[in-house]
């Protein structure tokens, strides 16, 4: 793509992957520093070792909280002094730190590199953090949207750690200490396991020189890939349905299908991601007959939606939202999917949704935030986000049709409901 004309890429001597994309007609610059280390990685083998290490659930998220601590204080305050906005998040697969700024870019970049590369944990601050994260976990227990989602994953999966809250549990975080934090940091925050992406009105060559000089001072060598250990996961679902009572004015329903076609990433994963997205859009998108019918019947509102999470080791789709009658909505969703299995999708709908996806993608490229965060998300799945238009273009009607029967298998479906108390 023309957008990529000025992209600079380099793997540094210590293994860090650096991508710099100059965008001259913008005022803001965004830098994203990410490690391929998420909540799933609680059992692993260190590079060059045979020893299996198991750490408490939630430690990746705990580590993210503690990384902003520096001997001088808090990195957040440094960003604020420079006029930059910063934040971080932990997902199932990665932990990501970032800032955006319209001024003081190099000073902000130095703060980002310094704090992510300088672990500073004390027993006192770790104990204090346990209280903070406990409150955060309890807050999520009170969030019905999170509960209906997490319960669906607990129903779809028997053992795979995607069924565990990213933050762990109140019990698991009590077992975290400074020794474990340093062990996880030294394993997963090695530059060989990390990527730096910068986008904005910058001189790519100059920025690369700045990063290279900074990284040379660390005197680290590239290391082999970390072996991650996951439990065996049956192809069946753990349970077909779960219902809980919560303080909600209206019930919530989430229906999901477990993807058992896993074990690969890259272009093949991108293709599957697009295919399931197209099918969901045709069957339940806002321009579909089904959406209009369910909306007119008062079974759904604007919060109805769907998604597909496609990763190398797991995948699932979700469909649902708030509804006055979750049982009836679940039946309507299943009936609609079965109808498409019988009659198929039309070639016309397929072409319309392809054009829509292409248009949405091109429009999204106006947003530096979209590019920065999508690039990182795709990168950790072995995908170049800028391959999306070509993969979409090359997708055939038959390839999409073949997925309806195989993916939307009722034997691999679970339903999660949150119902009002009383």
């Amino acid at each position: 793509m023309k957008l990529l004309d000025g992209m600079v890429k380099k793997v540094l001597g210590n293994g860090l992957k650096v991508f710099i994309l100059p965008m001259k007609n913008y005022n803001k610059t965004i830098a994203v520093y990410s490690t391929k280390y998420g909540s799933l990685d609680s059992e692993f083998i260190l590079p060059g070792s045979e020893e299996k290490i198991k750490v408490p659930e939630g430690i990746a998220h705990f580590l993210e909280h503690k990384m902003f601590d520096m001997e001088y204080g808090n990195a957040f305050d440094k960003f604020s002094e420079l006029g930059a906005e910063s934040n971080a998040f932990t997902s199932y697969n990665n932990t990501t730190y970032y800032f955006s700024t319209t001024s003081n870019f190099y000073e902000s970049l130095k703060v980002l590199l310094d704090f992510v590369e300088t672990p500073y944990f004390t027993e006192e601050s770790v104990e204090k953090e346990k209280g903070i994260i406990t409150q955060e976990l309890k807050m999520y227990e009170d969030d019905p949207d999170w509960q209906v989602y997490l319960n669906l994953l607990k129903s779809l999966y028997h053992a795979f750690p995607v069924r565990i809250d990213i933050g762990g549990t109140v019990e698991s975080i009590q077992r975290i200490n400074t020794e474990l934090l340093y062990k996880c940091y030294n394993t997963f925050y090695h530059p060989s396991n990390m990527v730096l992406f910068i986008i904005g009105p910058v001189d790519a060559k100059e920025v690369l020189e700045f990063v290279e000089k900074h990284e040379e001072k660390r005197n680290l060598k590239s290391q082999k890939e970390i072996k991650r250990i996951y439990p065996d996961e049956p192809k069946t679902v753990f349970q077909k349905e779960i219902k809980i009572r919560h303080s909600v004015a209206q019930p919530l329903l989430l229906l999901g299908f477990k993807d058992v076609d896993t074990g690969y990433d890259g272009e093949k994963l991108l293709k599957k991601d697009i295919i399931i997205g197209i099918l969901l859009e045709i069957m339940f998108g806002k321009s579909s007959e089904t959406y209009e019918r369910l909306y007119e019947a008062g079974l759904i509102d604007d919060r109805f939606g769907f998604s597909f999470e496609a990763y190398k080791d797991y995948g699932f789709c979700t469909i649902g939202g708030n509804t006055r009658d979750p049982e009836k909505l679940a039946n309507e969703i299943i009936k609609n999917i079965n109808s498409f299995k019988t009659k198929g999708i039309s070639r016309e709908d397929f072409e319309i949704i392809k054009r829509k996806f292409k248009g949405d993608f091109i429009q999204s490229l106006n947003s530096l935030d979209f590019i920065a965060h999508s690039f990182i998300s795709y990168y950790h799945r072995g995908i170049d986000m800028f391959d999306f238009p070509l993969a979409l273009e090359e997708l055939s009607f038959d390839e999409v049709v073949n997925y309806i029967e195989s993916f939307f298998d009722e034997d691999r479906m679970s339903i999660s409901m949150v119902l009002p108390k009383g």
Side-chain angles (χ1 to χ4, degrees):
M1 288 184 69
K2 194 174 180 182
L3 181 70
L4 281 174
D5 284 352
M7 172 85 106
V8 169
K9 314 173 190 178
K10 186 165 185 179
V11 181
L12 304 190
N14 61 15
L16 177 65
K17 275 71 71 180
V18 182
F19 298 83
I20 304 163
L21 183 53
M23 299 285 275
K24 295 194 181 303
N25 296 323
Y26 291 79
N27 293 322
K28 184 168 70 174
T29 302
I30 300 172
V32 187
Y33 203 5
S34 181
T35 172
K36 189 179 179 183
Y37 175 43
S39 65
L40 301 184
D41 304 313
S42 57
E43 192 170 5
F44 52 89
I45 298 174
L46 296 173
S49 164
E50 298 295 324
E51 182 191 1
K52 289 183 182 178
I53 296 174
K54 189 167 175 58
V55 295
E57 294 148 357
I59 196 166
H61 171 255
F62 199 109
L63 195 50
E64 174 223 311
H65 271 233
K66 294 310 302 166
M67 285 309 299
F68 283 90
D69 286 358
M70 297 290 282
E71 212 164 348
Y72 62 71
N74 194 296
F76 266 125
D77 298 334
K78 282 282 183 188
F79 282 117
S80 296
E81 289 169 13
L82 293 167
E85 292 183 6
S86 66
N87 213 331
F89 63 86
T90 306
S91 70
Y92 291 114
N93 306 279
N94 68 83
T95 307
T96 298
Y97 305 85
Y98 59 95
F99 75 83
S100 64
T101 187
T102 56
S103 60
N104 300 316
F105 166 68
Y106 282 105
E107 293 86 346
S108 300
L109 180 58
K110 186 175 187 311
V111 173
L112 178 71
L113 297 175
D114 281 344
F115 93 81
V116 175
E117 296 169 358
T118 312
Y120 177 68
F121 314 131
T122 66
E123 296 290 350
E124 184 184 3
S125 70
V126 169
E127 289 306 310
K128 185 180 176 184
E129 200 66 39
K130 290 177 183 176
I132 295 169
I133 294 180
T134 295
Q135 291 303 313
E136 188 177 325
L137 291 172
K138 288 182 176 176
M139 184 182 73
Y140 278 108
E141 285 178 7
D142 291 334
D143 182 346
D145 291 305
W146 177 246
Q147 288 305 310
V148 76
Y149 180 78
L150 187 58
N151 283 337
L152 178 66
L153 298 187
K154 287 178 177 176
S155 299
L156 288 172
Y157 289 90
H158 295 256
F160 198 76
V162 71
R163 72 192 307 277
I164 299 166
D165 193 304
I166 289 169
T169 66
V170 172
E171 292 73 27
S172 70
I173 64 169
Q174 302 311 315
R175 303 198 300 276
I176 294 173
N177 55 42
T178 55
E179 182 184 353
L180 289 173
L181 287 172
Y182 276 113
K183 190 181 285 287
C184 289
Y185 177 86
N186 291 328
T187 302
F188 291 101
Y189 281 66
H190 189 282
S192 292
N193 194 51
M194 301 189 72
V195 57
L196 176 67
F197 180 77
I198 295 165
I199 184 169
V202 295
D203 182 323
K205 188 180 173 187
E206 190 178 282
V207 174
L208 182 60
E209 287 176 359
F210 180 90
V211 175
E212 283 183 308
K213 282 183 183 175
H214 186 95
E215 293 302 307
E216 281 171 8
K217 294 175 190 169
R218 300 177 71 190
N219 200 26
L220 289 172
K221 293 181 179 176
S222 179
Q223 72 172 17
K224 293 180 180 176
E225 195 164 336
I226 303 154
K227 187 173 181 183
R228 299 151 205 265
I229 302 170
Y230 302 127
D232 292 334
E233 174 64 31
K235 292 192 173 185
T236 58
V237 297
F238 175 67
Q239 60 187 3
K240 294 297 291 181
E241 185 175 283
I242 182 170
K243 295 178 183 176
I244 64 165
R245 297 279 176 180
H246 211 287
S247 300
V248 292
Q250 194 176 40
L252 285 85
L253 165 80
L254 212 53
L255 184 149
F257 288 89
K258 180 179 182 177
D259 184 9
V260 296
D261 175 29
T262 55
Y264 55 86
D265 55 13
E267 290 180 17
K268 190 176 176 184
L269 186 64
L270 174 60
K271 179 179 280 191
K272 180 171 69 176
D273 195 14
I274 295 172
I275 288 173
I276 303 301
I278 287 175
L279 287 173
L280 288 168
E281 191 69 38
I282 290 174
M283 293 191 288
F284 299 104
K286 288 192 174 179
S287 59
S288 69
E289 181 276 328
T290 302
Y291 184 93
E292 188 176 344
R293 178 170 54 78
L294 297 177
Y295 193 92
E296 289 298 321
L299 276 174
I300 63 172
D301 57 23
D302 292 340
R303 292 170 287 185
F304 179 82
F306 47 82
S307 69
F308 177 51
E309 301 289 327
Y311 289 87
K312 180 180 177 181
D313 298 295
Y314 70 94
F316 58 87
C317 86
T318 66
I319 308 163
N322 294 60
T323 178
R324 60 175 172 78
D325 191 337
E327 302 280 357
K328 189 171 182 180
L329 179 57
N331 288 334
E332 288 291 336
I333 290 171
I334 295 167
K335 192 167 76 176
N336 190 47
I337 291 171
N338 288 334
S339 172
F340 274 98
K341 282 182 179 179
T342 303
K343 70 182 183 186
I345 62 171
S346 76
R347 196 175 289 272
E348 182 185 4
D349 285 345
F350 168 68
E351 294 297 339
I352 289 172
I353 298 303
K354 271 183 74 172
R355 288 196 294 274
K356 177 184 185 305
F357 277 21
K358 185 177 180 180
D360 289 347
F361 180 82
I362 291 170
Q363 189 172 18
S364 298
L365 295 182
N366 290 321
S367 165
L368 298 191
D369 292 277
F370 170 83
I371 296 173
H373 293 290
S374 297
F375 184 92
I376 292 297
S377 174
Y378 279 114
Y379 177 84
H380 287 305
R381 292 182 281 167
I383 298 169
D384 183 337
M385 69 170 284
F386 300 109
D387 287 342
F388 182 91
L390 182 60
L392 180 67
E393 187 64 33
E394 291 179 345
L395 197 63
S396 73
F397 178 72
D398 290 340
E399 285 177 300
V400 175
V401 169
N402 291 338
Y403 260 87
I404 301 177
E405 190 69 39
S406 62
F407 184 84
F408 296 97
D409 184 342
E410 278 192 50
D411 288 339
R412 294 197 291 269
M413 180 190 78
S414 293
I415 295 172
S416 172
M417 295 184 196
V418 171
L419 306 172
K421 287 180 176 175

